Amino acid sequence: MWTVPEAEDKTISRAMGVKDERLKLISEGCDPIRKDVKHESKDILSEVSRTHNAILTLDKTISNLEMELAATRAVQESIINGSPISDDLKIPETNGKRKYLMVVGINTAFSSRKRRDSVRATWMPQGEERKKLEEEKGIVMRFVIGHSATSGGILDRAIEAEDRKHGDFLRLEHVEGYLELSAKTKIYFATAAALWDADFYVKVDDDVHVNIATLGATLARHRTKPRVYIGCMKSGPVLAQKGVRYHEPEYWKFGEEGNKYFRHATGQLYAISKDLASYISINQHVLHKYANEDVTLGSWFIGLDVEHIDDRSLCCGTTDCEWKAQAGNVCVASFDWTCSGICKSVERMKDVHRRCGEGKNALWSEA
């Protein structure tokens, strides 16, 4: 008698096993595969984010090194050619040098003593508190002014006396004058970059209200980015008519009459990153100056690989800043557009500070 072949039993067993496995996969909805895909997707997104941040940091490092290399070459060329080395080109020692978050330069004039006092009485810390701000928070604040046409005259002596009392001035090798604001801005950035190694350099007018802690937090968000230009970006008309305010003598360079300027930050307050300040310092002797200071700064960056950041919290009005503060959206800077600053700032600065200020403790709260 013949027995039933074992192969047939095994074939039937394998067939049943495959069927059971298929039923199992169907009942599970292929969950093992889906879970693996989801897990892999999260890993990929996380890796992409880490890679992106690493690239930004590397790009900023390369940008800083390029600026330092350009400055070093400029010094070497001066030595080879037998020319005296400009103080602006001398590279400060960076080993062990204190690193700061930002340098805030408050543009002021000889006739603006009362404006300066209104700032000192509100949003600019004084004395030991200002020194503590530099040491603990890395925030430097100075009134920025040059010299009078008559060196050592009564105007210069008045500033020197004021500086002995408050110690909050940055004196520039520059002759003051309204039509010289573009030159003053250029010298300010070059001087500040040489004196303080900071991530950002800020220029603000002395009739603008500023919340320093909010400004610092705003800039810190862009710390890893190279070549950053931050402000309220605008594009006003090019004024060809003589005698009007903001007249542009070189209007023909901007095309047909009625054209507008390229995008640039409004002059009341703006900030640039360290590598852009270094760029200005190195190239200051060949950078062209237009009649208007804010247009001039924008023109220096128009052909560079610069990120323009339009942040409207840097240009709040003195009325809307109050309800924004109440809603928890504290403005960085406040002023009146009609006056290109706070109208009657000497009388109104305290009131704006009371309504729109971030609170004294904001500067010392933990980041």
Side-chain angles (χ1 to χ4, degrees):
M1 294 180 66
W2 287 22
T3 58
V4 179
E6 290 183 9
E8 188 175 336
D9 291 341
K10 290 180 179 178
T11 301
I12 293 169
S13 177
R14 281 199 300 270
M16 292 301 292
V18 170
K19 187 175 181 180
D20 290 343
E21 187 65 28
R22 286 176 180 170
L23 288 172
K24 184 180 179 182
L25 285 173
I26 290 169
S27 67
E28 290 179 353
C30 300
D31 279 346
I33 297 173
R34 289 182 180 176
K35 286 177 183 177
D36 287 343
V37 170
K38 288 180 180 178
H39 183 69
E40 288 176 6
S41 297
K42 288 181 180 178
D43 287 345
I44 291 170
L45 289 173
S46 178
E47 187 64 30
V48 168
S49 178
R50 285 197 297 269
T51 303
H52 178 67
N53 291 332
I55 289 171
L56 285 176
T57 303
L58 180 61
D59 195 12
K60 185 176 179 67
T61 302
I62 292 172
S63 177
N64 288 336
L65 290 173
E66 286 174 342
M67 289 300 173
E68 291 178 12
L69 178 60
T72 303
R73 283 175 176 167
V75 172
Q76 288 176 341
E77 287 175 5
S78 293
I79 294 171
I80 292 170
N81 296 330
S83 303
I85 302 172
S86 169
D87 288 337
D88 298 321
L89 288 176
K90 291 178 180 176
I91 311 302
E93 292 295 329
T94 55
N95 294 336
K97 188 176 180 182
R98 172 66 197 270
K99 183 75 176 179
Y100 296 91
L101 169 63
M102 63 181 180
V103 176
V104 181
I106 308 166
N107 184 48
T108 192
F110 288 113
S111 59
S112 299
R113 172 63 188 264
K114 290 183 178 180
R115 282 188 180 183
R116 291 190 291 275
D117 286 340
S118 71
V119 169
R120 291 181 179 118
T122 52
W123 57 267
M124 182 182 186
Q126 294 298 294
E128 291 302 316
E129 190 177 9
R130 182 168 57 80
K131 292 179 182 177
K132 182 182 176 184
L133 189 65
E134 293 182 14
E135 294 169 0
E136 296 186 9
K137 300 295 182 179
I139 299 174
V140 178
M141 301 175 67
R142 296 288 188 277
F143 287 106
V144 180
I145 195 167
H147 298 273
S148 65
T150 307
S151 181
I154 187 172
L155 296 176
D156 290 311
R157 292 200 301 272
I159 292 295
E160 289 164 5
E162 190 177 342
D163 194 25
R164 284 194 296 272
K165 179 179 180 180
H166 298 284
D168 54 6
F169 279 93
L170 171 60
R171 302 299 300 274
L172 304 177
E173 289 301 322
H174 166 77
V175 177
E176 285 290 322
Y178 180 76
L179 298 178
E180 297 298 326
L181 281 178
S182 295
K184 182 178 182 179
T185 300
K186 183 164 59 174
I187 296 170
Y188 158 62
F189 282 125
T191 305
L195 291 174
W196 296 285
D197 181 15
D199 288 318
F200 295 96
Y201 299 87
V202 181
K203 176 263 174 182
V204 60
D205 290 337
D206 61 6
D207 56 354
V208 172
H209 180 269
V210 181
N211 284 314
I212 293 298
T214 307
L215 173 61
T218 299
L219 296 183
R221 291 199 294 269
H222 305 288
R223 215 168 188 171
T224 61
K225 301 176 182 177
R227 300 177 302 280
V228 177
Y229 174 34
I230 307 171
C232 288
M233 299 296 164
K234 65 173 185 176
S235 179
V238 180
L239 302 178
Q241 184 181 352
K242 290 183 178 180
V244 299
R245 192 180 185 188
Y246 306 127
H247 166 62
E248 179 56 73
E250 296 181 84
Y251 62 88
W252 62 274
K253 288 185 177 180
F254 298 92
E256 300 300 322
E257 189 172 343
N259 278 0
K260 290 186 175 182
Y261 288 113
F262 40 79
R263 290 282 173 187
H264 60 278
T266 186
Q268 285 82 2
L269 185 148
Y270 48 72
I272 62 174
S273 55
K274 175 186 174 181
D275 36 15
L276 292 183
S278 298
Y279 171 81
I280 292 172
S281 177
I282 294 164
N283 299 285
Q284 60 180 303
H285 301 296
V286 294
L287 291 175
H288 184 70
K289 302 186 296 293
Y290 289 100
N292 299 305
E293 157 242 343
D294 51 358
V295 171
T296 297
L297 185 73
S299 73
W300 295 339
F301 304 147
I302 202 69
L304 302 181
D305 185 12
V306 172
E307 181 177 356
H308 289 58
I309 297 175
D310 182 21
D311 190 335
R312 310 314 288 184
S313 71
L314 273 65
C315 55
C316 295
T318 57
T319 52
D320 57 355
C321 65
E322 182 175 11
W323 62 261
K324 286 181 179 179
Q326 291 172 352
N329 300 316
V330 177
C331 291
V332 172
S334 305
F335 56 89
D336 300 306
W337 284 103
T338 53
C339 298
S340 296
I342 296 176
C343 298
K344 298 181 179 179
S345 66
V346 173
E347 293 83 8
R348 296 182 57 229
M349 186 66 79
K350 283 187 177 180
D351 177 62
V352 174
H353 184 65
R354 177 183 59 80
R355 293 185 295 104
C356 307
E358 60 196 352
K360 189 173 182 180
N361 293 331
L363 269 175
W364 309 109
S365 62
E366 292 297 326

